[in-house]
Amino acid sequence: MRLAGKIAIITGAGSGFGEGIATRFAEEGAKVIVADIDEVAAKRVARAIGGTAVRADVTSGIEVAAMVAAATESYGGLDILVNNAGMPQRAGPADEVDEAMFDRIFDVNVKGLYFGIVHAVPVLKKRGGGVIISTASTAAVRPRPGLAWYAASKGAVVTATKSLALELAPHRIRVNAINPVAGDTPMLKEFMGDGEAIRRQFIASIPLGRLSTPRDIANAALYLASDEASLVTGICMEVDGGRCV
Ligand SMILES: NC(=O)c1ccc[n+]([C@@H]2O[C@H](COP(=O)([O-])OP(=O)(O)OC[C@H]3O[C@@H](n4cnc5c(N)ncnc54)[C@H](O)[C@@H]3O)[C@@H](O)[C@H]2O)c1
């Protein structure tokens, strides 16, 4: 059991990568808070893995504070925060993204991380250490045309991760990110539509020849969350079949 006795919050855990991470962490002995803006989805996943569901919109400071408090109330503390909830951009020209969509992308992807830090770090400091992991994207480090604002938001997550790693190291809080390549989750059609041709073309650009799965991302998160990674901080790990090389 690689996370025996650890208490973890995973945001956006009602679907896709977050569900995969929640499931994998529970398999390895963690007590998991399954947080999602979609309460029905959070409850479904929590039931399946024996965790606790919390409805939390990561763009709300009040709801993120309540989410962090739920970890202490349910399990007595917090060891791991996974900032995974994300907002995609429908592929298209940067100048056609309206202000409301731009704001939503940055609110969920960047402000969501900010609120996670503001509310979880004091708890982790008091506990004497912990782990923060964010789901960024290969779009942050190898942006392609058509996803400019999404890529920029994930770039902010990558830069914040490195900066936070340095700042929080004296408190024994490790801060890392994962950069998944396109993954087979409900979010994928937002990025590439439903077309089979575009999907095949994208897969052809991945040297290992397939999209990522929730299990791939969960295995990376498990390593970063575990004591096996006790000297690893400030990295943004590509899980991308070689696409970013
Ligand atoms: N799927 C991909 O191709 C891909 C690639 C790289 C990175 N990512 C990133 O991975 C993360 C997970 O995405 P996914 O592919 O699993 O998507 P998904 O759509 O399957 O799951 C996203 C979950 O986040 C929840 N969510 C959305 N807004 C929220 C909010 N404001 N507060 C709390 N929860 C919220 C949704 O309800 C959903 O359950 C995101 O950060 C995404 O940007 C996805």
Side-chain angles (χ1 to χ4, degrees):
M1 291 286 210
R2 292 158 73 187
L3 297 180
K6 301 286 187 192
I7 301 158
I9 296 174
I10 296 137
T11 69
S15 173
F17 294 158
E19 178 176 356
I21 295 167
T23 305
R24 193 79 185 92
F25 280 20
E27 286 169 1
E28 293 292 337
K31 294 169 182 138
V32 179
I33 298 282
V34 178
D36 205 289
I37 195 172
D38 180 342
E39 191 173 15
V40 173
K43 283 186 171 159
R44 179 185 60 77
V45 173
R47 248 195 325 273
I49 68 169
T52 298
V54 173
R55 192 224 168 254
D57 177 349
V58 298
T59 70
S60 158
I62 291 170
E63 292 187 21
V64 173
M67 172 186 86
V68 171
T72 302
E73 284 154 19
S74 301
Y75 299 124
L78 179 66
D79 300 296
I80 303 159
L81 171 67
V82 182
N83 294 293
N84 169 78
M87 180 73 197
Q89 176 185 337
R90 188 164 278 272
D95 56 333
E96 290 177 13
V97 173
D98 67 26
E99 187 179 350
M101 179 51 68
F102 174 90
D103 284 345
R104 189 73 192 150
I105 290 168
F106 272 75
D107 274 356
V108 179
N109 297 354
V110 185
K111 206 172 186 187
L113 168 59
Y114 161 74
F115 281 137
I117 294 300
V118 164
H119 294 290
V121 163
V123 178
L124 297 177
K125 279 183 179 171
K126 255 195 224 151
R127 206 163 163 84
V131 179
I132 296 167
I133 299 167
S134 296
T135 308
S137 174
T138 51
V141 289
R142 190 172 186 268
R144 313 304 302 155
L147 294 176
W149 307 120
Y150 176 79
S153 72
K154 295 298 189 178
V157 173
V158 164
T159 302
T161 296
K162 294 179 183 180
S163 185
L164 289 163
L166 297 178
E167 189 173 321
L168 296 174
H171 301 280
R172 305 182 63 78
I173 300 170
R174 298 187 294 104
V175 189
N176 293 295
I178 297 169
N179 291 335
V181 77
D184 240 333
T185 72
M187 190 179 283
L188 189 65
K189 66 175 183 323
E190 293 295 323
F191 292 125
M192 41 171 100
D194 286 326
E196 204 34 56
I198 195 156
R199 186 185 164 96
R200 271 203 305 276
Q201 195 185 346
F202 193 92
I203 289 173
S205 76
I206 303 172
L208 284 179
R210 67 171 176 83
L211 301 177
S212 68
T213 65
R215 196 77 175 172
D216 293 319
I217 306 313
N219 283 331
L222 172 61
Y223 166 68
L224 291 171
S226 75
D227 292 343
E228 293 158 29
S230 64
L231 195 62
V232 179
T233 197
I235 70 160
C236 301
M237 183 196 282
E238 274 88 59
V239 180
D240 72 342
R243 179 167 155 92
C244 288
V245 176

